[in-house]
């Protein structure tokens, strides 16, 4: 079974559980007849897969150079202040996980971030706060 099939299983498991548990990875390895280390290697290669429980919404703030230099004020600081968490953390109510990422392909609208699959660009502190409030 190819990498695409494994990736699809990983995405499905993450969608169902919110993260990739050790049990789920062991089951996939057994089902595919591959070493669990192979499953783990693929699971940890992709930024959109997580071995830790994530919030209902995952914020991925771009920290690549074009976005970084377009920020007037630290948007990471704004998000952290609004949510009371740091990068790599999840709010206690399970609403948001904040992650920092490399370019998300929206450099023409820098600074940019993803919330789940939605791209938001030309961010300002005010816009970021409005976006966060629009998610339940
Ligand atoms: S550098 Fe931020 S979206 Fe490309």
């Amino acid at each position: 079974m190819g990498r695409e099939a494994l990736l699809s299983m990983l995405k499905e498991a993450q969608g169902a559980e919110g993260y990739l548990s050790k049990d789920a990875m062991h089951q996939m390895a057994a089902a595919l007849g591959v070493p669990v280390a192979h499953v783990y290697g693929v699971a940890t290669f992709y930024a959109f897969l997580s071995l830790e429980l994530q919030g209902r919404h995952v914020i991925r703030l771009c920290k690549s150079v074009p976005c970084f230099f377009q920020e007037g004020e630290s948007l990471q600081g704004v998000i952290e202040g609004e949510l009371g968490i740091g990068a790599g953390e999840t709010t206690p109510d399970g609403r948001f996980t904040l992650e920092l990422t490399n370019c998300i392909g929206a450099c023409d609208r820098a600074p940019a971030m993803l919330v789940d699959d939605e791209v938001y660009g030309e961010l300002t502190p005010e816009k970021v706060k409005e976006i966060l409030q629009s998610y339940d």
Side-chain angles (χ1 to χ4, degrees):
M1 185 172 273
R3 193 175 181 93
E4 286 80 27
L6 173 55
L7 254 182
S8 140
M9 288 176 81
L10 287 165
K11 282 197 246 177
E12 190 175 318
Q14 175 155 313
E17 293 188 74
Y19 75 116
L20 298 168
S21 65
K22 284 183 187 168
D23 280 353
M25 288 191 285
H26 277 281
Q27 286 169 12
M28 281 178 231
L32 299 174
V34 298
V36 72
H38 175 71
V39 176
Y40 179 85
V42 174
T44 53
F45 180 79
Y46 293 99
F48 59 87
L49 296 173
S50 177
L51 304 190
E52 293 181 17
L53 191 57
Q54 295 189 306
R56 290 194 302 282
H57 306 290
V58 179
I59 301 164
R60 293 188 170 91
L61 178 66
C62 177
K63 295 306 282 184
S64 289
V65 171
C67 280
F68 182 77
F69 280 107
Q70 286 294 323
E71 288 183 32
E73 183 182 332
S74 164
L75 295 177
Q76 182 180 346
V78 171
I79 296 170
E80 289 178 345
E82 283 293 303
L83 301 181
I85 57 171
E89 295 178 346
T90 298
T91 56
D93 63 1
R95 189 165 154 238
F96 286 110
T97 294
L98 172 61
E99 294 182 350
L100 305 180
T101 187
N102 290 321
C103 182
I104 56 173
C107 320
D108 58 328
R109 295 191 287 149
M113 70 178 183
L114 277 170
V115 180
D116 303 330
D117 295 329
E118 192 73 32
V119 178
Y120 295 96
E122 297 169 358
L123 296 173
T124 62
E126 294 71 30
K127 197 168 170 182
V128 164
K129 289 175 191 171
E130 280 175 27
I131 292 165
L132 295 180
Q133 285 166 8
S134 73
Y135 284 84
D136 59 7

